[in-house]
Amino acid sequence: MTRMGRPNGGDSGATPEVIMALKRAGNSQRSIAQRFDVSEAAVSLRLGRAGLIDSTPRSDAMKHFPWKLGRAFHDASLGKLVRNHLEFVATNGHGMSEDKLKRLRALYKKLLGEEQFAEALERGKLDPTTPPKFVVEFDPAIPPGKGNKTGGFALVPWEERDGDLLIRRNEHAELSDDALMVLRFPKRLP
């Protein structure tokens, strides 16, 4: 069987009513997306447009996700970690799994460096005057590498132009004023 991806949900048969019936029957959003060969985002979009789901702090935070990744990079670990960061900023960590928080701490440790991370933990907050060592960059041209199966993402050395953002601004990042506020390092670490 040839799979024909429909990133926006096309004529997949994934109507909001069908999706809701499958959700009520206990199917996960991921399994529904796979069943109709669409992305999970397409499933959410269909439900949202039909007014069948309420927004959550996480879904509101995801509006500030700076990149349109497509399927090729959707599951990249650095992209997931930036989503976790947005969720942490929106919820202050409430309702997040310990695994997500642990991975997020590991990201902050990589970005800040061991010494700055340890000092921030000791003080209970980050020193806003000390820049991080690295930031997250997305560029589809970044090749896969060690610990990066999909490519597209990399930790790159911080430059003055990065300011207090934890991501690199480039032609692939769409940053609203609100996104600029939430894509900064949090005042306190998880």
Side-chain angles (χ1 to χ4, degrees), residues 149-164:
K149 295 180 211 170
T150 64
F153 283 94
L155 295 180
V156 296
W158 177 87
E159 297 175 1
E160 192 170 326
R161 69 182 173 122
D162 296 321
D164 59 354

Side-chain angles (χ1 to χ4, degrees), residues 61-69 78-86 136-139 153 165-176 178-180 182-184:
M62 291 309 116
K63 293 174 186 170
H64 304 299
F65 190 72
W67 308 292
K68 294 194 183 332
L69 301 180
L78 282 172
K80 287 180 180 180
L81 289 169
V82 171
R83 287 186 200 100
N84 289 349
H85 163 79
L86 291 171
V136 176
E137 180 172 31
F138 172 73
D139 184 331
F153 283 94
L165 294 176
L166 58 88
I167 68 158
R168 167 81 33 95
R169 281 195 230 193
N170 62 20
E171 67 273 17
H172 304 288
E174 296 177 14
L175 299 168
S176 66
D178 288 338
L180 290 171
V182 296
L183 288 164
R184 302 177 191 285

